[in-house]
Amino acid sequence: MNNIYLASDFHFGHSRMVQYCDRPLDFSERIFDGLQTIPADDHLICLGDVCVGRDKEMHERFIAPLKCRKSLVLGNHDKKTRTWYLSHGWDEVEKRIIIDIGGGKRALLTHEFDQYLDNISINLAGHLHNHLERILAGRFVIEGEEERNAGWLSYYNPKKHILVSMEELNYKPIELTKFLETHL
């Protein structure tokens, strides 16, 4: 294994992502095209929310064909069992992954920002899509959004929590070291 690639919140087949996050109509195909560029000896870590509904179809179409090693950090829309995901294309399924990022630093990979960061240098997470700045500014536009985000807003630390957003990555996975170079 040579490189680790990060991606998050594919939401394959979720048509409302066009409305919610201003995604293009062909966002699923764009994400899949990007995922297919990951070499077979490299490693993809998805920070959750593979699809919303039609799980079997979406995994057969978008996950199973990928040649790289695939790890899934479970997101709030990933409701199947660990065994189900392992039998539908994933090599590893976890709630959180900790990796060494060099220089004695460790990164915690989760779907949502985590408040427990003892011995962790940074927390890379998805879940918020392209809405982080808006939510941090208190501009809530969807009913219940403030209440849903109150927990992590109480401990959010911009020096420790870094958003991995497909919208901001042009719907392509990003190599971990390149991502860290731009965010640390």
Side-chain angles (χ1 to χ4, degrees):
M1 185 166 32
N2 296 320
N3 297 307
I4 296 173
Y5 287 80
L6 294 177
S8 178
D9 297 274
F10 303 148
H11 287 270
F12 289 134
H14 188 192
S15 61
R16 289 193 174 170
M17 292 304 289
V18 173
Q19 173 191 358
Y20 293 161
C21 298
D22 199 29
R23 285 187 175 184
L25 290 173
D26 65 343
F27 74 87
S28 291
E29 288 74 19
R30 289 185 190 198
I31 292 170
F32 181 59
D33 288 347
L35 294 174
Q36 288 186 85
T37 66
I38 300 174
D41 58 347
D42 285 349
H43 185 179
L44 166 67
I45 300 176
C46 173
L47 301 180
D49 286 359
V50 178
C51 58
V52 177
R54 301 182 0 238
D55 293 68
K56 185 175 187 285
E57 174 190 342
M58 294 296 111
H59 277 77
E60 287 173 356
R61 182 174 172 193
F62 296 117
I63 301 303
L66 301 177
K67 305 295 184 214
C68 61
R69 177 170 175 73
K70 299 174 288 287
S71 295
L72 173 61
V73 174
L74 294 169
N76 58 298
H77 290 290
D78 303 316
K79 306 267 188 211
K80 303 287 186 190
T81 66
R82 182 177 187 276
T83 303
W84 189 94
Y85 289 107
L86 290 171
S87 67
H88 287 83
W90 295 97
D91 300 299
E92 177 183 26
V93 179
E94 303 292 340
K95 290 188 181 222
R96 53 197 289 142
I97 296 174
I98 297 175
I99 58 174
D100 179 9
I101 57 173
K105 295 181 179 180
R106 296 173 358 138
L108 173 64
L109 307 177
T110 56
H111 179 64
E112 298 180 29
F113 292 134
D114 198 300
Q115 65 182 330
Y116 303 106
L117 299 177
D118 293 339
N119 301 312
I120 297 294
S121 304
I122 58 167
N123 177 198
L124 305 175
H127 185 60
L128 297 171
H129 308 282
N130 55 346
H131 302 304
L132 178 61
E133 288 184 25
R134 178 179 58 75
I135 292 170
L136 289 173
R139 294 190 315 269
F140 303 105
V141 297
I142 299 170
E143 186 177 332
E145 191 173 33
E146 183 173 12
E147 294 78 13
R148 282 193 306 277
N149 291 292
W152 71 263
L153 280 169
S154 68
Y155 59 77
Y156 174 75
N157 179 343
K159 293 179 182 176
K160 291 262 192 178
H161 296 105
I162 301 173
L163 177 64
V164 178
S165 167
M166 294 309 289
E167 293 83 8
E168 294 176 8
L169 296 174
N170 199 26
Y171 307 100
K172 296 177 183 161
I174 188 165
E175 201 271 320
L176 176 64
T177 58
K178 290 180 183 168
F179 185 80
L180 293 175
E181 286 172 4
T182 62
H183 289 86
L184 291 183

